[in-house]
Amino acid sequence: MDPLGRRRVNALKNLQVKCAHIEAKFYEEVHELERKYAALYQPLFDKRSDIVKAAYEPTDEECEWKADEEEELTDEMKEKAKLEEEKKDEEKEDPKGIPEFWLTVFKNVDLLSDMLQEHDEPILKHLQDIKVKFSDPGQPMSFTLEFQFEPNDFFTNTVLTKTYKMRSEPDENDPFSFDGPEIMSCTGCTIEWTKGKNVTLKTIKKKQKHKGRGTVRTVTKTVPNDSFFNFFTPPEVPENGELDEDSEAILAADFEIGHFIRERIVPRAVLYFTGEAIEDDDDDYDEEGEEADDEVKPPKNYHRPLKLTFWKL
């Protein structure tokens, strides 16, 4: 390319940088719009929570649902279902609300069930709601996940929180890479475990041999344990942003999970409970199991934070 042509291309690149800054402002306004509409959704989510935890019993009218043709049952199936329901009624009382609603959601979603351990399940039976709270106007862009629990024997917290800080501005060193808001870091909370109930730790016994006398003693050590509740203690990000490989992998997965809970799980919880949303998610993959071209790819590492797509709910 001749010098004059290169000069003009440089001018176009400068224009492109300005476009990136305008785009960043666009996403900031989208975030404000999300915050506005979150307030409109919340009464519906609150009613959902009341039904799940038996604080509200829906009316017959609210429970009416016109099934699609594919969902309609034959008379024989209806009769069988009726007999099974009557048998259950004889065996036990009608449970209040929708027991294990959120635990079932967790089990149905691979991204969450992979984190779930058997010892987590009795605790998550007490999870009553998950809420998303957006940062206030004028404050740095962020969102907080609130996990609300009923009183239980495992910890004294009624709410466990996880806050994700975001950035919507081009990187000065690489402005052309800007592709929307990025999750930059996250902060968990302290879980006030009841004595002996902390599932994120386990006790192991090790034998030690004395070098001189040759005697053997058994010592007890407390070590980290796999648990969903490690989600609330993510690795800290150093000021220089440099992390070891394991921490990078943990944070990359963490960002993906936080984003998924916010964008999919909270807005569509009942569809993940029934499994219908799982089928919709499967439609995003072609026959060979490859992701569709327009689907957001999960982050590979911390230095390439998760891009948020606000309209792909």
Side-chain angles (χ1 to χ4, degrees):
M1 184 182 298
D2 62 84
L4 288 177
R6 190 175 299 280
R7 286 181 72 253
R8 294 175 187 130
V9 168
N10 288 341
L12 295 182
K13 285 186 175 181
N14 285 326
L15 291 175
Q16 191 63 45
V17 171
K18 291 180 180 179
C19 286
H21 284 280
I22 292 173
E23 186 180 4
K25 294 298 180 184
F26 163 77
Y27 282 114
E28 287 179 4
E29 291 194 24
V30 169
H31 183 71
E32 291 301 310
L33 195 61
E34 268 203 314
R35 189 179 57 80
K36 172 187 173 182
Y37 275 86
L40 300 179
Y41 286 126
Q42 197 55 54
L44 302 178
F45 294 156
D46 288 343
K47 193 166 190 177
R48 177 180 70 187
S49 177
D50 288 342
I51 293 172
V52 167
K53 63 187 180 184
Y56 173 77
E57 183 61 34
T59 65
D60 290 342
E61 183 180 359
E62 289 175 319
C63 293
E64 286 183 9
W65 180 259
K66 180 174 174 54
D68 294 335
E69 290 184 8
E70 295 180 357
E71 295 177 346
E72 291 180 355
L73 303 174
T74 65
D75 292 339
E76 183 180 349
M77 292 175 68
K78 287 179 181 177
E79 186 62 28
K80 184 178 179 181
K82 183 180 178 182
L83 292 173
E84 289 180 354
E85 198 64 37
E86 289 176 352
K87 184 179 179 181
K88 288 181 180 178
D89 290 341
E90 292 175 2
E91 292 175 353
K92 62 178 182 180
E93 296 181 4
D94 181 37
K96 302 298 183 182
I98 305 180
E100 301 182 16
F101 177 83
W102 288 102
L103 175 58
T104 303
V105 171
F106 274 52
K107 287 182 173 181
N108 284 345
V109 178
D110 288 344
L111 197 63
L112 300 178
S113 64
D114 288 345
M115 306 167 63
L116 202 59
Q117 306 298 319
E118 187 175 346
H119 48 253
D120 294 325
E121 294 188 18
I123 307 176
L124 288 171
K125 287 180 181 180
H126 297 283
L127 178 60
Q128 293 185 312
D129 199 11
I130 303 176
K131 293 185 177 181
V132 180
K133 296 292 181 68
F134 292 93
S135 52
D136 293 331
Q139 295 298 313
M141 191 183 292
S142 69
F143 67 92
T144 298
L145 302 176
E146 293 186 352
F147 294 73
Q148 301 187 343
F149 287 82
E150 65 183 348
N152 59 80
D153 296 332
F154 299 93
F155 45 70
T156 57
N157 312 66
T158 56
V159 180
L160 301 181
T161 61
K162 185 74 170 288
T163 299
Y164 290 86
K165 295 180 181 178
M166 299 184 292
R167 180 181 70 178
S168 182
E169 61 184 46
D171 187 331
E172 291 182 2
N173 298 320
D174 187 14
F176 303 132
S177 66
F178 181 74
D179 191 28
E182 304 168 338
I183 295 177
M184 302 306 297
S185 65
C186 56
T187 306
C189 66
T190 300
I191 301 177
E192 302 295 342
W193 293 100
T194 304
K195 187 176 181 180
K197 299 289 187 177
N198 187 347
V199 294
T200 66
L201 298 174
K202 64 181 178 180
T203 301
I204 61 171
K205 292 182 178 181
K206 294 184 68 176
K207 290 185 178 180
Q208 293 181 340
K209 187 175 182 180
H210 193 278
K211 292 180 180 179
R213 294 192 295 270
T215 55
V216 177
R217 68 175 183 177
T218 301
V219 296
T220 301
K221 290 183 64 176
T222 300
V223 297
N225 193 26
D226 290 337
S227 169
F228 164 75
F229 291 91
N230 290 322
F231 179 69
F232 298 97
T233 53
E236 293 186 8
V237 180
E239 290 185 6
N240 60 13
E242 294 182 3
L243 293 165
D244 59 53
E245 189 173 337
D246 288 343
S247 296
E248 281 189 359
I250 292 171
L251 277 176
D254 188 291
F255 292 172
E256 183 182 0
I257 292 162
H259 174 61
F260 193 81
I261 291 174
R262 166 200 163 174
E263 291 284 305
R264 298 292 186 98
I265 299 296
V266 171
R268 298 181 172 188
V270 66
L271 300 181
Y272 283 99
F273 175 79
T274 62
E276 293 164 83
I278 308 298
E279 296 172 5
D280 291 341
D281 288 346
D282 288 343
D283 290 341
D284 291 337
Y285 292 82
D286 61 26
E287 293 182 359
E288 286 74 31
E290 296 293 332
E291 292 186 24
D293 290 340
D294 61 348
E295 187 68 16
V296 177
K297 307 295 190 298
K300 299 298 183 185
N301 53 51
Y302 174 70
H303 297 296
R304 295 178 59 194
L306 182 62
K307 307 293 184 181
L308 305 185
T309 50
F310 294 97
W311 48 85
K312 284 192 178 180
L313 295 181

